[in-house]
Amino acid sequence: TALPLDLSAQYKPIKYERDSLENGLQIIYSIDRSAPVVATVLHYKVGSRDENPNKTGYAHLFEHLMFEATDAIPRASIDKYALDAGGQLNASTWFDATVYHFKVPANEIKLPLWIESQRMRRLHVDSVGVGTQRGVVIEELKMREDNQPYGKWMQKMMENLFPGSAYGWSVGGFKEHVAEAQISDFKGFYDNFYQPNNAVLVICGDINIEETKKYVRDYFNQYPKAPEPTRNPMNLGPLTKSHGEVVNDPMATLPAVFIGFRGPRLGHPDYYAMSLLTDILASGESSRLYQKLVNENQAAMAAHAIPFSLENAGAIIFIGVSKPGKDLEEVEKGIFEEIRRIIEDGVTEEEYEKAMNIREAEFIASKKQVLSKAEALAEYTAYFDDPELINDEIKDFKAVSREEIQRIAKKYFLDTEKVVLTFIPKK
């Protein structure tokens, strides 16, 4: 059998320079002259897990609100500034983070830095901006949860997999909480979390580092260091029992099952083996679940596994959608059979090599674009305080053995600690 391709031997380590301001802002600079472009990523250490359990949805609302007015930027202008400069921009919210990014021509480097500095402390959290974005967010939540098949799966999964903890609701939160929130609630959230000492700024691309440092200081040094943000306790107790639930779903046309187990948190020694195990079970058409449920017994339209790796916890969610006229029980049974086979027999050498090759290929591919490079540097710095993981993390994957993958399956896929959500089309 062929040994795993040593793709990482082709990898050129990414060089970067780390810096910080007196106000606590962490900055990473990385030169990439492959194209005359620059990516900026501003990673705020605030996500849905930082919300009050009775006041959810704020992190996601701020992802939208940060495109409203600031002291120096009129409403509805941020997108226009970026597009007029030949750039692009976006943002995302997760359980642990809210991230804003720009990609612009290199000669426009000052534009995203100016915009981000304005948004950091000079955002207008007022009735006009909040009124607009509150409506947008509530509509988005309705579309995602009420008007899509299986729209409630994430909320139900998180509240049963992490009951009573800060991961116990979905990233978007509850519509009612967003609707009821006062301007003062949002201002409090902004002042607590949107501060220089709660953020990592990465600038990657065709830059002169000394010149860029000057711009960063011009724009961000004006803000004082804030107190450390007040955060929720995680309250992550052990999962002591399984949960099963049948959901009658008026939007679903086919029955589906969602099976959740707790998994290792980001960077935990078990995380690397679990990532490889997830690939073996569900990455691509040669994966175990696809072969068994879609190809062989043709019970499923789709069979996936999604790893949720969070800063303080993890989850692995298996998803099976049955084919028309097929029994969903057969799909569910097939998923548990494949899990049991790995627990009892482990994985084959061929599967192990394929999973390792997938990881190596992803490791290299994810570092080729300036934006993905900047996002990775921001994550490694925010979560681990270690940007060097951008070059080193592949070693942790390559240290995983086949025996380790089998051990992980036994440890985490416990029949007594799972959540099973069965979605049935409502006639």
Side-chain angles (χ1 to χ4, degrees):
T1 312
L3 289 168
L5 293 169
D6 193 5
L7 295 170
S8 51
Q10 310 163 17
Y11 176 71
K12 290 193 178 75
I14 287 161
K15 293 183 177 150
Y16 58 86
E17 186 174 324
R18 190 169 185 182
D19 192 17
S20 63
L21 302 185
E22 283 182 18
N23 59 21
L25 179 66
Q26 299 291 306
I27 310 121
I28 305 283
Y29 304 93
S30 182
I31 295 172
D32 180 335
R33 304 214 191 280
S34 57
V37 295
V38 173
T40 68
V41 169
L42 192 51
H43 180 122
Y44 285 96
K45 295 185 243 185
V46 55
S48 58
R49 72 129 197 249
D50 294 300
E51 296 159 352
N52 177 324
N54 302 311
K55 295 181 174 183
T56 65
Y58 292 21
H60 179 224
L61 183 117
F62 265 91
E63 179 199 319
H64 289 257
L65 196 60
M66 289 278 273
F67 289 85
E68 285 286 330
T70 73
D71 286 359
I73 302 173
R75 288 190 71 221
S77 299
I78 288 176
D79 286 37
K80 187 175 181 304
Y81 289 163
L83 296 172
D84 286 354
Q88 58 193 61
L89 70 170
N90 215 330
S92 61
T93 314
W94 189 231
F95 293 94
D96 300 306
T98 312
V99 181
Y100 302 87
H101 67 246
F102 284 85
K103 189 173 165 188
V104 294
N107 63 344
E108 294 286 356
I109 184 171
K110 289 165 85 172
L111 178 67
L113 297 176
W114 171 65
I115 291 172
E116 293 296 20
S117 73
Q118 279 285 310
R119 303 200 287 195
M120 180 175 274
R121 294 303 315 134
R122 300 192 186 282
L123 185 70
H124 289 186
V125 185
D126 57 21
S127 56
V128 181
V130 167
T132 304
Q133 297 307 332
R134 192 199 307 260
V136 171
V137 165
I138 289 171
E139 278 309 306
E140 207 175 283
L141 288 171
K142 279 182 188 167
M143 279 298 296
R144 196 183 298 160
E145 293 173 7
D146 302 337
N147 300 330
Q148 271 194 23
Y150 329 119
K152 297 268 197 271
W153 82 264
M154 170 87 87
Q155 175 56 39
K156 287 183 177 293
M157 185 60 74
M158 297 310 281
E159 70 187 23
N160 289 295
L161 213 45
F162 302 106
S165 87
Y167 288 139
W169 55 92
S170 64
V171 172
F174 294 99
K175 298 185 288 289
E176 308 75 45
H177 294 170
V178 177
E180 291 160 6
Q182 305 297 308
I183 299 292
S184 58
D185 292 324
F186 293 132
K187 278 188 171 159
F189 192 84
Y190 178 64
D191 289 339
N192 191 20
F193 295 110
Y194 278 81
Q195 296 284 359
N197 49 312
N198 196 43
V200 175
L201 171 65
V202 180
I203 304 157
C204 179
D206 189 3
I207 59 170
N208 174 306
I209 290 183
E210 290 312 308
E211 196 176 68
T212 310
K213 280 184 178 178
K214 182 182 179 305
Y215 301 149
V216 168
R217 279 159 173 71
D218 287 348
Y219 289 126
F220 292 95
N221 250 345
Q222 59 183 304
Y223 304 128
K225 187 170 186 172
E228 279 302 299
T230 310
R231 294 191 191 275
N232 283 334
M234 277 311 296
N235 295 334
L236 207 60
L239 198 62
T240 53
K241 61 181 193 296
S242 287
H243 173 82
E245 188 176 341
V246 176
V247 183
N248 289 305
D249 185 350
M251 301 307 295
T253 54
L254 293 167
V257 66
F258 295 78
I259 301 164
F261 296 92
R262 282 213 190 159
R265 64 173 167 73
L266 269 176
H268 186 280
D270 293 348
Y271 160 77
Y272 303 99
M274 182 58 84
S275 300
L276 292 166
L277 175 53
T278 310
D279 288 338
I280 288 165
L281 280 164
S283 190
E285 294 187 6
S286 63
S287 66
R288 286 203 178 197
L289 291 181
Y290 193 93
Q291 284 296 321
K292 168 93 176 198
L293 294 168
V294 181
N295 276 358
E296 283 173 29
N297 62 18
Q298 300 195 349
M301 284 281 285
H304 308 291
I306 307 171
F308 271 20
S309 297
L310 309 174
E311 195 169 5
N312 296 283
I316 298 87
I317 320 293
F318 294 91
I319 303 169
V321 182
S322 67
K323 275 192 172 168
K326 292 285 186 174
D327 193 339
L328 185 63
E329 275 185 30
E330 200 180 336
V331 177
E332 186 179 328
K333 193 171 135 214
I335 292 171
F336 283 119
E337 269 175 18
E338 288 309 311
I339 291 170
R340 191 170 63 251
R341 272 181 61 209
I342 285 180
I343 288 172
E344 290 173 3
D345 306 328
V347 301
T348 67
E349 183 68 29
E350 193 182 348
E351 287 175 321
Y352 171 77
E353 287 169 13
K354 182 193 157 215
M356 202 63 83
N357 287 343
I358 288 170
R359 281 289 144 186
E360 289 208 61
E362 277 181 6
F363 173 76
I364 291 168
S366 67
K367 314 294 189 302
K368 284 189 171 167
Q369 303 294 329
V370 287
L371 184 54
S372 56
K373 216 185 296 189
E375 286 171 331
L377 282 164
E379 283 181 19
Y380 289 131
T381 307
Y383 292 141
F384 307 111
D385 194 28
D386 187 6
E388 188 54 26
L389 282 168
I390 197 166
N391 296 317
D392 285 354
E393 196 183 31
I394 192 65
K395 293 174 190 165
D396 293 306
F397 285 105
K398 292 176 86 168
V400 174
S401 66
R402 282 166 59 195
E403 293 72 25
E404 184 74 358
I405 292 172
Q406 186 176 8
R407 182 187 72 78
I408 289 302
K410 287 176 182 169
K411 179 177 174 180
Y412 288 94
F413 296 150
L414 298 172
D415 204 43
T416 51
E417 297 176 17
K418 64 181 186 295
V419 176
V420 180
L421 306 173
T422 308
F423 283 75
I424 305 297
K426 197 174 180 181
K427 296 289 187 291

